[in-house]
Amino acid sequence: VLAWQTCADIGIPRRSADLAMQKAQQNELEAITDMFNKMTEQCFRKCVAMYKEPDLSVGESTCVDRCVHKYMTVHGKVQEILGQQAQQHAQQNGQMPGVGFRPP
């Protein structure tokens, strides 16, 4: 729900809006956790050939830095595209962006 609107303005009871917001926040937390876990696993697998020392070597550290940067950059671009598609879909259906739409 946009900050300048009240729940009544868009026809959603206050309790339902609160529950929907909590669910959206929980979904976002789960998505971020999942993304972090996947990134960690993929970058570790790609950059750490042998796990024989407690610290990363300079080469491993550089590889991890680049891998994380690339992963986060791509993730940001995907999120941007999905957001644009959601906004277009909402506009086509006469909905407000972010209300009642879940990307496929």
Side-chain angles (χ1 to χ4, degrees), residues 5 31 43 98 101:
Q5 290 184 315
C43 291
F101 175 72

Side-chain angles (χ1 to χ4, degrees), residues 20-32:
M21 181 63 73
Q22 287 176 346
K23 181 65 176 164
Q25 290 171 341
Q26 180 65 32
N27 288 344
E28 181 69 17
L29 179 61
E30 289 173 7
I32 289 170

Side-chain angles (χ1 to χ4, degrees), residues 7 12 19 29 33 40 43 47 56 66-67 76 79 85 95 97-98:
C7 296
I12 300 174
L19 290 175
L29 179 61
T33 301
T40 301
C43 291
C47 297
L56 294 175
R66 288 179 179 162
C67 181
Q79 289 299 101
Q85 289 176 347
Q95 299 174 346

Side-chain angles (χ1 to χ4, degrees), residues 70-89:
K70 188 181 290 187
Y71 199 97
M72 295 302 292
T73 300
V74 169
H75 180 74
K77 288 183 188 279
V78 168
Q79 289 299 101
E80 183 181 331
I81 291 167
L82 288 176
Q84 290 170 352
Q85 289 176 347
Q87 191 171 24
Q88 289 171 354
H89 184 269

Side-chain angles (χ1 to χ4, degrees), residues 8-21:
D9 289 340
I10 57 174
I12 300 174
R14 181 77 181 156
R15 179 78 174 137
S16 295
D18 289 344
L19 290 175
M21 181 63 73

